Amino acid sequence: MARDGVSRLTTVCFLASYIWLSCSLQRHSLIDQPRLSSFLLLFISGSAAFIASLFSKWLPGADGRFDSEAVLKGMQSSLPQRPRRFYVPCIIFLIVFRLEIVHQVMRDFQCASEGVEAFLPVLLATYEFFSHRPTQVVSDEPEDMWGNPLEDFKNWLISSPISLLFSTVLFCYGVFMVGDFTPKSTYFCSTLVNQSSFTVVIQWLGVFIDAIVMIMFWRVLSWARTTKSRLRTLGGILILTSVGVSVLWMGTRISQHREIMGHHPFRGIGSLYFFDVFSTGLLVSTLFISTALWICDSTALEPTAIATFTSGILASIQSVLLIGTYQQTSSGQPLVVLSVISVGFVIFTYTNSMRWIVVFKRVFLMLLLICIIIASTIFAAVRSRQLDRHPVDDLVYRNRVEADRWLRHATVSTTLKLAVAEYKDRHQGRDPPPNFDRWFQFAEQRKSVVIDRFDQIERDIRPFWGLRQQQIREGLEILKGLPDIGIIDIADGKATHNQPLDPAQKLMLDEAVLMISTFAEHLPDMSVAINLKERPRVLVPWDDVHRLTMAGSKTRFQLLPYGSRKRRVDDTKLAEANPIDASRAPLGSVAQPYVSAKKFRQLEALACPPGSAARGGVNWDVRDFCSPCIKPHSEGQFLQDWEMFLDPCHQPDIFNLHDLHTTPHLYELHQDLLPLFSRSKTDSFNDILIPLIHPDIKQEPDKTAFDRKKDIVFWQGDAKGSQVVTPQSILGGHRHRLVHLANNASAVDQVSMLLGIRAGGKDRFRYEATRVKEANGPLPFEFSFTNAEPCEDANCQLLQREFGFKEPGKALENRYVMLLDSADGPPPDLLPTLRSNSVPVLASVFREWYTERLMPWVHFVPIDLRYHALHSTMAYFIGLKNRGSINGRPQLTDGRKEDARWIAEQGRKWADKAIRREDMEVYMFRLLLEWGRVIDENRDNLGFVP
């Protein structure tokens, strides 16, 4: 139908708001509070509809749609049937019920069927089919008994509701097929924990409810005589619906216990959440209002069909652009789906008499789709799906070069004079701390290969330059009163600790004091708080850390030569002139004794910089693989940049894929910057890393040569490590997903594998979609849980039923040892495996003091925690030749055993060279020298000048 400019603007607003919402809701802080968010969005939308009604004379249909002349002439009215009185309360009830279905589906989203919503237009077309009333045209002309049969068939084909229904089914089925192209996450649907059939059933029920609500809305709004009355009717329905949702929200809040006890609200979450509510509310309001105006000008089917078509055509074009990558292994299927969607929608525009599609004429859209299909076909034919070299070949070579470059950069200084100059060059002109010469002599005596590169120390301590010394001391006093905190006192050249009652904790502090005693005479007096638990505890919002870092970077010793540093930086005038005064904010008691997994993920998001993917909200889509999340740190399917992988801020999906994020935080969690030293942390935390010897780790020499080990990829975890089990940790925990992938994969689970082929007389490689069970066959995976004690608690019994237990095995008897984090810390066997003749296959999110010294693909094989490249990576080293068939053919890929042996040797040699006990002492000496200056009242004037 022809449209005026205002009507076209309405359709543009509809489509723009729909696309924006579809893209932004992938990660959103509103998802964590579904009922509250629904209430606020509905209330904002209803209010916006009332406000829009005040400007109704500039909107479509301002003069009403009743055409009395048309009725008098006997022409067909475009009005639907008159609505019944019970429609409005029924709409309100159905919307509330539909939102509850959405919440339920999202709780088990990994079990949801993808693309079900694409059939909403089919239901609306079915309604039109059964409610179709043929047009009765009154004419004084006699009927032509000898009309043209072809012309009659053409008219019937265009006007028949069967054609409309067929075309709708055709393009909707094409949109549904697009869902098959989306790779799936390893977050799995359990037969014990989830009810997958129920989830799919209520998905379909939700689509039926959507159709009913759309039809009722169409009939109610269409019989409103003016745009003002339509918008006010819409606003009233939305506000009344928001009241119903708020009643449910308050009821659930009253019935449930508070998730976090004994604290005031977290800083930053409220402002971020309400900003998202306001911005999203504007988009939802635009979508509701434009939809209401559009359906009154046409039918409920038209905007729904265009939205479905837009989603499908964009997704299919994206699939075409990914042809030849691990995300899209087939070149023909995306083209077929693109053609089905295009042909089906073009037929739909004719059968629905749509001359304009948003702002495009029908002919122009048809020509555009033809051009897209032709261009996609050419692109698919030209795009090579074959690789001349295996990506791991290049990764091993490049990282070997990078390891040599790193070592040269870490060992520039051969004399004290060069070491001082190098320090100043790397620290913006700042002099080294006092007794730097003693440290340099100590490092030389210990034969340390790392002299100049201590970036981790600099990153850890830099924010504390923005705190006053009094604040640091206050933070230390807070820590002294907390459990599981060890205090090491250094005074008069001697180190002692506070003698904790736990023997393991006492042994850890004994070892630390023993190391410090070798250089304690060169340290200033200080007290150091040590975190004796595995999990880090200081999680400061990024905004606070940034302010402190900027405040510390403005001190004058970085800008003036040493001779000009006689005045104190805390001079009154200078302090008043400093625009960043975060260092003077008093320390609060923002400490949480218990934090639920959901709130913990929110706090981690606040630790990321504004504009980062994680700051925008936690990724709620646990079913689908997040390819944008891995792109910054990956080369194709394989992990390339280990340092970037450890940063969670660009990969919000990782918050659903690790036990650290999916289990509650049971210890004190601090949002103030406190001087706490920990053995490990993730990049979100602000603990200071310190070398500590874990009392449970015992290193025995590995006397078995690499060639004599079993050709097996081995991992075994103790069930006792899962002390806290939640549905999220069972289904998304990094250890549980690995065991499920190897042992419990379903018949429909697929993985993309890089397989060898023979083409043009040369060996080449190509990504192919493979059933997980079939991919597991040739690869010797042995992943399991073990439990030495009888299962008595419910958590242990659930693990046993879901995964089963096996007898304990010896990891170092195998060539490849998979190293996974515990729920609270890094892999406990990382250093023993590095010092062995086995290949460390590492999947971790934690840092330790030596992490920056390890190079992926040189000292260990890196594996992304999503495990999407596990099969391809291990097939490179182990080989697939003579190990059975995959995808119906024998495989040609030979194993790179020599590369695996080389990585095992390099890891062992480097650990014996740069991660010794002596290196721990050198690192700790340097760390405590830097810390001693930071806590000194005269720190801005302290420095070593040769």
Side-chain angles (χ1 to χ4, degrees):
M1 94 181 32
R3 298 184 185 277
D4 58 17
V6 179
S7 297
R8 291 176 193 166
L9 180 60
T10 301
T11 59
V12 169
C13 291
F14 166 82
L15 196 58
S17 58
Y18 171 77
I19 294 175
W20 193 296
L21 282 170
S22 300
C23 297
S24 64
L25 285 181
Q26 186 74 12
R27 296 183 304 272
H28 222 296
S29 62
L30 273 61
I31 305 299
D32 286 332
Q33 301 285 343
R35 290 189 178 89
L36 175 61
S37 302
S38 300
F39 157 66
L40 293 174
L41 292 179
L42 288 169
F43 184 81
I44 292 173
S45 301
S47 303
F50 275 109
I51 295 173
S53 69
L54 302 177
F55 307 94
S56 59
K57 64 181 180 179
W58 291 289
L59 298 176
D63 298 327
R65 64 178 294 165
F66 289 94
D67 191 345
S68 58
E69 294 183 4
V71 175
L72 291 174
K73 290 180 180 179
M75 297 180 64
Q76 180 189 22
S77 173
S78 59
L79 282 172
Q81 296 179 6
R82 185 182 295 273
R84 305 294 179 87
R85 293 183 178 180
F86 62 86
Y87 273 21
V88 170
C90 189
I91 289 174
I92 295 172
F93 170 78
L94 288 178
I95 293 177
V96 174
F97 184 55
R98 179 65 174 103
L99 290 173
E100 289 302 307
I101 290 178
V102 171
H103 304 158
Q104 180 62 43
V105 171
M106 290 184 62
R107 277 196 290 267
D108 294 328
F109 196 68
Q110 69 280 1
C111 302
S113 177
E114 186 167 7
V116 169
E117 295 77 10
F119 290 103
L120 175 59
V122 174
L123 298 179
L124 296 176
T126 303
Y127 170 80
E128 293 203 5
F129 175 81
F130 286 105
S131 62
H132 176 72
R133 291 174 294 177
T135 304
Q136 301 294 332
V137 180
V138 179
S139 176
D140 297 332
E141 298 291 333
E143 184 178 358
D144 186 5
M145 298 180 61
W146 308 101
N148 189 341
L150 293 178
E151 189 69 24
D152 292 341
F153 177 75
K154 177 183 176 182
N155 293 334
W156 175 84
L157 189 65
I158 293 176
S159 61
S160 172
I162 297 179
S163 302
L164 177 65
L165 182 60
F166 169 76
S167 60
T168 307
V169 171
L170 184 62
F171 85 81
C172 287
Y173 181 71
V175 176
F176 174 75
M177 290 173 61
V178 173
D180 293 337
F181 300 148
T182 306
K184 297 301 181 285
S185 169
T186 50
Y187 195 110
F188 62 93
C189 179
S190 169
T191 57
L192 295 178
V193 179
N194 305 118
Q195 295 178 331
S196 57
S197 299
F198 175 74
T199 302
V200 175
V201 168
I202 64 174
Q203 269 189 285
W204 281 105
L205 176 61
V207 176
F208 275 100
I209 292 176
D210 290 338
I212 294 172
V213 170
M214 288 287 291
I215 293 169
M216 287 185 171
F217 252 127
W218 174 48
R219 292 174 63 171
V220 169
L221 296 179
S222 295
W223 278 85
R225 292 183 174 273
T226 63
T227 298
K228 176 181 289 188
S229 61
R230 292 170 190 157
L231 291 177
R232 291 188 173 180
T233 301
L234 174 66
I237 291 175
L238 294 177
I239 289 180
L240 289 175
T241 306
S242 71
V243 173
V245 174
S246 67
V247 171
L248 286 178
W249 172 65
M250 288 186 292
T252 54
R253 294 293 294 177
I254 294 173
S255 63
Q256 295 175 354
H257 290 81
R258 296 182 63 186
E259 291 180 329
I260 304 174
M261 308 299 293
H263 73 94
H264 55 78
F266 292 104
R267 294 175 297 180
I269 287 182
S271 59
L272 174 66
Y273 176 79
F274 287 108
F275 173 80
D276 285 344
V277 166
F278 179 75
S279 58
T280 307
L282 294 180
L283 287 172
V284 174
S285 303
T286 304
L287 181 66
F288 282 161
I289 294 172
S290 56
T291 303
L293 297 178
W294 192 350
I295 64 176
C296 291
D297 196 33
S298 57
T299 64
L301 174 60
E302 187 172 322
T304 308
I306 289 179
T308 304
F309 164 75
T310 302
S311 298
I313 205 72
L314 293 177
S316 58
I317 291 174
Q318 184 179 13
S319 298
V320 170
L321 296 176
L322 292 173
I323 289 176
T325 67
Y326 73 95
Q327 300 175 65
Q328 184 51 257
T329 59
S330 171
S331 58
Q333 290 180 357
L335 295 177
V336 171
V337 171
L338 177 63
S339 302
V340 169
I341 295 174
S342 301
V343 172
F345 189 74
V346 168
I347 298 175
F348 173 82
T349 59
Y350 278 93
T351 56
N352 200 43
S353 302
M354 294 171 58
R355 297 183 181 274
W356 286 84
I357 295 86
V358 189
V359 295
F360 300 109
K361 283 189 175 181
R362 182 171 57 196
V363 174
F364 179 79
L365 178 66
M366 185 167 56
L367 293 176
L368 178 62
L369 291 176
I370 292 174
C371 292
I372 290 175
I373 293 175
I374 294 174
S376 299
T377 304
I378 296 174
F379 177 83
V382 174
R383 181 70 176 264
S384 175
R385 297 173 55 211
Q386 300 175 2
L387 303 177
D388 295 330
R389 285 172 55 85
H390 199 292
V392 175
D393 284 335
D394 297 329
L395 290 171
V396 171
Y397 173 77
R398 289 203 304 266
N399 281 278
R400 182 175 183 176
V401 173
E402 181 62 27
D404 294 337
R405 183 184 295 114
W406 189 95
L407 183 58
R408 289 195 301 270
H409 191 255
T411 57
V412 173
S413 303
T414 56
T415 64
L416 177 61
K417 185 176 181 180
L418 286 175
V420 172
E422 191 68 22
Y423 183 99
K424 296 178 68 174
D425 183 59
R426 301 187 188 201
H427 295 80
Q428 298 82 40
R430 186 170 71 209
D431 287 326
N435 287 332
F436 183 78
D437 55 337
R438 302 290 187 182
W439 173 85
F440 183 79
Q441 182 182 7
F442 185 86
E444 283 191 322
Q445 292 174 351
R446 296 300 193 274
K447 302 186 184 303
S448 174
V449 296
V450 179
I451 298 294
D452 302 298
R453 190 155 189 170
F454 293 88
D455 298 342
Q456 186 65 56
I457 294 178
E458 178 66 18
R459 287 195 298 267
D460 290 345
I461 290 183
R462 187 185 298 133
F464 288 93
W465 283 98
L467 286 177
R468 292 178 292 115
Q469 294 84 347
Q470 178 62 30
Q471 286 181 294
I472 298 176
R473 288 193 293 269
E474 290 174 359
L476 179 62
E477 291 302 317
I478 292 175
L479 292 172
K480 286 181 178 180
L482 300 179
D484 300 312
I485 298 293
I487 303 297
I488 296 180
D489 295 309
I490 303 172
D492 299 327
K494 295 182 180 180
T496 57
H497 64 75
N498 60 341
Q499 302 291 330
L501 298 178
D502 190 320
Q505 296 180 353
K506 183 177 183 300
L507 182 59
M508 189 184 302
L509 290 182
D510 287 342
E511 292 288 349
V513 166
L514 189 60
M515 284 192 288
I516 294 174
S517 297
T518 59
F519 51 81
E521 59 183 317
H522 306 302
L523 296 177
D525 293 349
M526 67 177 76
S527 294
V528 178
I530 307 292
N531 177 20
L532 298 177
K533 289 293 186 180
E534 282 289 319
R535 186 174 289 216
R537 304 197 199 181
V538 182
L539 186 61
V540 185
W542 183 91
D543 297 334
D544 295 346
V545 174
H546 180 68
R547 284 195 296 268
L548 291 170
T549 301
M550 295 301 296
S553 66
K554 290 182 178 294
T555 51
R556 287 186 294 174
F557 68 79
Q558 294 186 4
L559 305 176
L560 302 177
Y562 179 75
S564 303
R565 288 197 268 111
K566 298 302 180 184
R567 289 176 294 174
R568 298 286 300 276
V569 75
D570 58 351
D571 180 83
T572 305
K573 295 181 180 180
L574 188 62
E576 292 175 354
N578 189 356
I580 301 177
D581 205 19
S583 62
R584 295 187 175 276
L587 281 176
S589 58
V590 188
Q592 318 307 332
Y594 170 85
V595 181
S596 69
K598 183 172 72 174
K599 293 298 182 184
F600 180 55
R601 291 192 293 267
Q602 290 178 339
L603 291 181
E604 288 189 290
L606 287 177
C608 292
S612 62
R615 186 66 176 264
V618 177
N619 188 17
W620 56 269
D621 186 359
V622 297
R623 178 192 63 196
D624 300 323
F625 178 76
C626 181
S627 54
C629 298
I630 74 157
K631 188 175 182 180
H633 62 258
S634 300
E635 180 176 314
Q637 193 180 30
F638 301 93
L639 202 160
Q640 175 191 18
D641 192 333
W642 182 257
E643 285 290 318
M644 183 167 286
F645 167 69
L646 293 178
D647 181 8
C649 291
H650 69 276
Q651 43 184 342
D653 66 322
I654 207 73
F655 294 142
N656 297 313
L657 302 176
H658 195 285
D659 281 345
L660 175 72
H661 313 296
T662 57
T663 55
H665 193 96
L666 303 178
Y667 313 113
E668 290 282 349
L669 184 64
H670 301 272
Q671 288 187 273
D672 281 317
L673 187 62
L674 299 181
L676 182 62
F677 292 73
S678 296
R679 188 174 75 92
S680 63
K681 67 174 181 177
T682 67
D683 276 6
S684 302
F685 282 83
N686 304 99
D687 303 56
I688 302 171
L689 291 182
I690 188 171
L692 294 175
I693 297 177
H694 201 286
D696 297 332
I697 299 178
K698 297 180 180 179
Q699 178 68 57
E700 297 180 0
D702 183 12
K703 299 180 180 179
T704 306
F706 178 83
D707 292 329
R708 297 174 55 192
K709 292 176 179 283
K710 300 176 185 177
D711 195 18
I712 290 174
V713 188
F714 183 87
W715 179 84
Q716 197 167 63
D718 195 338
K720 292 188 299 183
S722 300
Q723 296 179 358
V724 179
V725 175
T726 65
Q728 292 76 23
S729 66
I730 281 286
L731 308 174
H734 57 290
R735 297 169 297 174
H736 309 124
R737 287 185 297 108
L738 181 70
V739 176
H740 175 84
L741 185 68
N743 303 327
N744 298 351
S746 68
V748 298
D749 289 339
Q750 286 191 337
V751 65
S752 180
M753 276 190 80
L754 189 62
L755 301 176
I757 59 172
R758 191 75 176 170
K762 296 182 179 179
D763 291 332
R764 299 178 184 273
F765 300 91
R766 181 178 66 194
Y767 286 108
E768 297 184 21
T770 308
R771 302 288 184 187
V772 173
K773 284 190 172 183
E774 191 175 4
N776 289 339
L779 295 174
F781 290 153
E782 286 193 11
F783 305 147
S784 63
F785 284 103
T786 183
N787 188 41
E789 302 174 357
C791 270
E792 296 179 354
D793 61 280
N795 291 340
C796 180
Q797 293 172 2
L798 178 60
L799 288 175
Q800 187 174 25
R801 293 199 310 271
E802 182 69 46
F803 306 108
F805 294 149
K806 290 188 177 181
E807 292 296 323
K810 294 183 178 180
L812 297 184
E813 291 180 351
N814 307 282
R815 289 181 183 174
Y816 307 93
V817 178
M818 194 84 183
L819 298 166
L820 302 184
D821 298 327
S822 67
D824 300 322
D829 296 327
L830 176 54
L831 281 182
T833 306
L834 274 172
R835 295 191 174 104
S836 72
N837 295 317
S838 298
V839 178
V841 183
L842 179 61
S844 174
V845 299
F846 284 93
R847 286 186 183 273
E848 297 185 72
W849 70 272
Y850 57 83
T851 298
E852 63 183 358
R853 304 188 179 195
L854 297 179
M855 188 65 60
W857 303 109
V858 176
H859 305 130
F860 64 94
V861 174
I863 295 293
D864 195 297
L865 273 176
R866 299 161 184 86
Y867 306 132
H868 62 285
L870 176 64
H871 294 82
S872 297
T873 302
M874 300 318 301
Y876 171 85
F877 294 105
I878 297 173
L880 299 174
K881 192 173 183 179
N882 299 325
R883 287 180 174 268
S885 62
I886 293 180
N887 290 342
R889 69 175 190 275
Q891 294 301 306
L892 308 175
T893 307
D894 290 316
R896 306 294 181 92
K897 181 180 174 181
E898 293 302 320
D899 286 349
R901 182 190 295 109
W902 180 80
I903 291 176
E905 291 176 353
Q906 292 299 311
R908 184 180 67 255
K909 291 177 180 178
W910 184 244
D912 292 339
K913 188 178 183 179
I915 317 179
R916 307 162 299 158
R917 182 186 178 92
E918 292 85 351
D919 297 299
M920 298 174 70
E921 295 173 352
V922 171
Y923 187 97
M924 187 176 288
F925 192 176
R926 176 75 170 256
L927 171 65
L928 294 181
L929 277 184
E930 296 283 4
W931 183 248
R933 175 166 62 177
V934 169
I935 63 177
D936 194 282
E937 292 289 347
N938 195 33
R939 64 185 180 188
D940 298 324
N941 296 324
L942 291 178
F944 173 78
V945 180

